[in-house]
Amino acid sequence: MPKQPIDLQRKLEHLFLAEKFYQTTNPTFEELKLLPPALPETTIDQVQLTTDFCNQTLPTPLYINAMTGGCAQVTAINQKLAQVAAALHLPLAVGSMSNYLKYADIAGVSESYEIVRRTNPHGFILANVSAHVSATDAQKCVDLIQAQALQIHVNAAQEMVMAEGNRGFVWQENIRKIVQQVSVPVVVKEVGCGMTQKDVWHLEQLGVQNIDLAGRGGTNFVQIENERNHQQDYSFLQNWGLTTLESLVNVVPKQHSAAIWASGGIRSPLDAVKCLVLGASAVGLAAPVLHQLNHHSVEHTIQYFHTWLQQLRELVALLGCQSIQDLTQVSYRLSPHLAQYQTQN
């Protein structure tokens, strides 16, 4: 049997290495301490987790971020992810759809994405493309899965470390064209290196209205690509970029017109709440969902994250709040290290 193209094989290697390097906790979130009231003056029945998400009102601020797609062997994983998303009413982003654009004639490639919509016919699904693709191709990806939104991933460090990666990162004008021409809202996201206030400002100038900071601390694609790269060693870049909290503190979401989402290393409901306190309007999970599915059934995974949602409501009540918007009024303290990101851009 002929060996499949490296672009397809890479998808399997990513999944294997993401699990190999998975960490159950993220200590960077200890750099923010919440100051909870002793007299919350609220009840859990008063708590509403609704949030605005790409021009829609959704029941929770959590979403399942992009993970995989693009070869027949990952179809079953995407089906399970879609089942979890459907049961919990969470938005779900598919992995990069570059392989659909390049290898649609290879058996199973298109199906690995289409299974998500077929399994979750009424859910909120996000397509996913690189910042290199044309607006026409981006729309093709949206149409394939009837997506309600489009993620554009920006991943310069990952591409640089990837042996077969791109070496050109002139993206801004193309992002502008995609935003102007596709039929659905666009989200621009990092893939684990975070963003600065300047990045967000540039994206807003391009017309982007939803930005996922996707900070360091979760799945580390620099580490993963370095593990795959047998030609050069890039281990010195393993801590490249900003953590999720560093990004949030630097960006200051309330100062921007775009909706700021947070992802990257979210490992507990408390981590998610800290992101919301700093002004994120939505919080993304990826590796924790995949980790549960790797070790447990779909039913167990659904129950696991159902508990997360309940605990998220409990934390909001403990903080004396009734809504996601109220959380931005919660008092907190930053570590000396994290506080530096408030003034240094």
Side-chain angles (χ1 to χ4, degrees):
M1 178 179 294
K3 188 176 181 180
Q4 64 181 352
I6 191 171
D7 292 330
L8 278 65
Q9 181 63 29
R10 183 171 63 244
K11 302 303 180 181
L12 303 179
E13 294 172 359
H14 282 175
L15 290 172
F16 172 78
L17 293 171
E19 179 63 24
K20 175 182 176 179
F21 295 133
Y22 180 74
Q23 300 292 318
T24 58
T25 60
N26 182 356
T28 67
F29 277 90
E30 292 301 314
E31 295 192 73
L32 185 151
K33 298 292 185 182
L34 301 176
L35 303 181
L39 304 170
E41 292 299 305
T42 190
T43 69
I44 193 168
D45 292 339
Q46 295 174 308
V47 174
Q48 297 291 327
L49 296 181
T50 55
T51 192
D52 291 330
F53 191 92
C54 289
N55 304 328
Q56 293 193 28
T57 300
L58 298 182
T60 170
L62 299 185
Y63 60 98
I64 300 177
N65 222 337
M67 278 177 266
T68 194
C71 67
Q73 296 95 318
V74 305
T75 301
I77 296 173
N78 270 347
Q79 182 176 31
K80 292 177 181 179
L81 290 169
Q83 290 171 334
V84 173
L88 297 172
H89 306 290
L90 300 180
L92 169 64
V94 300
S96 171
M97 300 180 74
S98 296
N99 281 0
Y100 163 63
L101 296 172
K102 294 172 66 175
Y103 305 106
D105 58 331
I106 293 182
V109 169
S110 297
E111 170 67 9
S112 70
Y113 303 107
E114 292 172 313
I115 190 68
V116 172
R117 175 55 74 195
R118 194 158 61 249
T119 303
N120 188 5
H122 306 296
F124 193 108
I125 306 298
L126 298 91
N128 184 332
V129 299
S130 79
H132 289 287
V133 308
S134 68
T136 299
D137 281 345
Q139 186 65 51
K140 284 175 60 178
C141 292
V142 168
D143 294 341
L144 179 73
I145 57 174
Q146 302 167 48
Q148 290 100 325
L150 171 70
Q151 282 187 342
I152 302 174
H153 61 267
V154 292
N155 60 335
Q158 178 190 7
E159 294 286 347
M160 189 65 74
V161 178
M162 187 191 307
E164 68 275 20
N166 290 309
R167 297 295 185 269
F169 314 118
V170 181
W171 291 331
Q172 292 192 37
E173 189 56 36
N174 194 55
I175 290 173
R176 186 197 305 274
K177 290 178 180 178
I178 294 174
V179 171
Q180 291 174 343
Q181 296 178 32
V182 298
S183 61
V184 295
V186 169
V187 185
V188 173
K189 69 181 294 287
E190 239 291 343
V191 299
C193 294
M195 294 191 191
T196 66
Q197 190 175 62
K198 290 180 180 178
D199 292 324
V200 171
W201 183 84
H202 283 308
L203 291 170
E204 288 179 318
Q205 295 302 304
L206 300 175
V208 179
Q209 297 182 356
N210 305 280
I211 300 169
D212 185 345
L213 302 179
R216 178 169 52 80
T219 302
N220 188 329
F221 277 101
V222 170
Q223 180 185 33
I224 286 173
E225 296 301 349
N226 190 55
E227 187 82 358
R228 294 183 61 248
N229 190 335
H230 304 298
Q231 302 171 22
Q232 298 185 56
D233 177 28
Y234 287 92
S235 57
F236 61 90
L237 284 179
Q238 186 164 320
N239 292 321
W240 185 262
L242 280 68
T243 69
T244 300
L245 289 187
E246 289 167 355
S247 294
L248 280 167
V249 167
N250 189 258
V251 166
V252 191
K254 66 182 180 182
Q255 295 182 3
H256 295 277
S257 60
I260 305 299
W261 303 357
S263 65
I266 311 301
R267 295 294 181 265
S268 73
L270 183 57
D271 295 346
V273 164
K274 289 181 178 182
C275 292
L276 296 168
V277 166
L278 288 179
S281 61
V283 177
L285 309 172
V289 185
L290 184 62
H291 182 71
Q292 288 296 314
L293 288 172
N294 281 338
H295 295 276
H296 303 285
S297 66
V298 170
E299 293 73 23
H300 178 279
T301 302
I302 291 169
Q303 184 55 51
Y304 181 85
F305 287 103
H306 178 77
T307 301
W308 260 58
L309 293 171
Q310 177 63 18
Q311 292 171 335
L312 189 61
R313 295 182 70 231
E314 292 167 354
L315 285 168
V316 174
L318 280 175
L319 291 168
C321 299
Q322 298 181 14
S323 69
I324 299 304
Q325 293 72 28
D326 290 346
L327 287 172
T328 59
Q329 305 304 312
V330 170
S331 298
Y332 59 86
R333 295 293 182 269
L334 306 178
S335 71
H337 163 81
L338 196 55
Q340 296 180 61
Y341 288 82
Q342 291 180 305
T343 55
Q344 298 182 9
N345 295 318

